[in-house]
Amino acid sequence: MRNNTVQLACGVALASFILLMLITPKIPQPQKYHDFADKRELFGIPNMLNVVSNFPFLVIGVIGLMFCQHSSYFKLSLQGEVWGWISFYVSVVATAFGSSYYHLSPNHDRLVWDRLPMATAFASLIAILIIERIDAKKGTVSIIPLNMAGILSIIYWRYYDDMRVYGLLQFVSTFAIPLMAILLPPMYTHSEYWLWASGFYPLAMIQETADKVIYACTFHTVSGHTLKHLSAAMVPVLLTIMLAKRNVYSEKLSHAKST
């Protein structure tokens, strides 16, 4: 029953994607996107706060990768689960470098390296939820194609100057992850951390949209985009705390390994 529901959801998503591409015009990346509120240069670093606010991604990404070497610490009990989390934490580390590189000199070409690791991070989280809550083998197999879909969405955007595919995947991921966490029965305790983590990304998007408003309201102390980086970094932070605290439901683990 669960597999049928997932297949139906995938079919609806695919049909919706095709319909969207047929009936909507392409959405180019506006040049004004790169006009951030805080352009201060400090210690010789241009756009300094927007650059250094990516440091938390590096810290939590490295911590996560270190713990993934000891799967028993994170209680990574299912086949392929460790690879899903490694893919996620590699994307988090890459976000630190890609976003910092972009903010040193914001432009379309550098924006690719900012968005690419974020796309693969979302893809990895969806694969992890499939492994944990639907089917371990299918979820493991999905890691590569889901990551490829994220990468191709960035390539399509940059090559055709059309944000529809990237925007759709980001929109779907933002809603799919908390919905999967709510609707699919958990295999581990502390599942509520998925929801807390999911809440920080929409907050980050709001802060990004209100970049200049926040900068003005804080008397040019901190911009919305800088706060966006800090809020987005809370996603891997909360998920790492979840992994450290959780325990497996033994009866569900036995069922998952038998299917």
Side-chain angles (χ1 to χ4, degrees):
M1 181 66 178
R2 186 189 301 175
N3 286 337
N4 290 337
T5 302
V6 172
Q7 290 172 4
L8 177 62
C10 291
V12 171
L14 179 60
S16 300
F17 169 73
I18 294 173
L19 182 62
L20 175 75
M21 297 301 289
L22 289 174
I23 67 175
T24 61
K26 80 172 190 175
I27 304 174
Q29 177 71 57
Q31 189 65 37
K32 67 178 181 180
Y33 176 83
H34 310 298
D35 181 26
F36 299 106
D38 191 352
K39 299 181 177 68
R40 289 174 294 177
E41 178 178 327
L42 300 171
F43 306 108
I45 303 175
N47 310 308
M48 194 259 198
L49 287 184
N50 282 344
V51 172
V52 301
S53 56
N54 289 289
F55 183 68
F57 289 108
L58 177 61
V59 174
I60 194 61
V62 170
I63 291 172
L65 287 172
M66 290 173 60
F67 283 137
C68 281
Q69 294 180 354
H70 307 282
S71 59
S72 59
Y73 184 85
F74 272 177
K75 302 174 182 68
L76 302 175
S77 306
L78 299 178
Q79 177 186 358
E81 193 176 10
V82 66
W83 293 111
W85 285 109
I86 288 174
S87 175
F88 172 68
Y89 283 116
V90 167
S91 297
V92 171
V93 171
T95 297
F97 290 102
S99 185
S100 296
Y101 174 70
Y102 163 63
H103 282 288
L104 286 170
S105 180
N107 57 59
H108 280 13
D109 290 333
R110 290 191 175 215
L111 185 57
V112 170
W113 303 108
D114 181 25
R115 287 179 170 171
L116 192 60
M118 290 194 293
T120 56
F122 275 120
S124 300
L125 290 179
I126 293 176
I128 289 165
L129 282 168
I130 294 173
I131 292 170
E132 290 186 4
R133 305 197 179 204
I134 299 175
D135 185 279
K137 292 181 180 179
K138 292 179 180 178
T140 303
V141 172
S142 75
I143 294 173
I144 293 178
L146 284 173
N147 274 273
M148 286 303 301
I151 293 170
L152 289 173
S153 74
I154 302 299
I155 294 174
Y156 178 84
W157 153 64
R158 189 65 193 101
Y159 189 78
Y160 292 103
D161 193 22
D162 185 357
M163 292 179 58
R164 285 180 298 171
V165 179
Y166 170 73
L168 179 64
L169 288 180
Q170 186 180 49
F171 177 82
V172 169
S173 299
T174 302
F175 284 93
I177 290 171
L179 282 176
M180 291 173 74
I182 293 171
L183 298 177
L184 299 175
M187 190 161 292
Y188 299 96
T189 60
H190 296 90
S191 181
E192 66 276 6
Y193 278 86
W194 280 106
L195 301 181
W196 295 345
S198 298
F200 269 94
Y201 194 74
L203 173 62
M205 293 298 98
I206 293 172
Q207 290 167 333
E208 179 181 43
T209 303
D211 180 35
K212 295 181 180 179
V213 173
I214 293 174
Y215 193 54
C217 289
T218 59
F219 303 101
H220 296 184
T221 301
V222 63
S223 70
H225 202 87
T226 296
L227 294 179
K228 175 222 174 176
H229 290 162
L230 300 178
S231 293
M234 284 301 298
V235 175
V237 167
L238 288 169
L239 293 178
T240 304
I241 294 172
M242 176 193 73
L243 291 172
K245 294 178 66 174
R246 72 183 186 176
N247 290 296
V248 66
Y249 292 122
S250 57
E251 67 278 4
K252 291 185 177 181
L253 177 61
S254 300
H255 174 72
K257 287 184 174 180
S258 65
T259 55

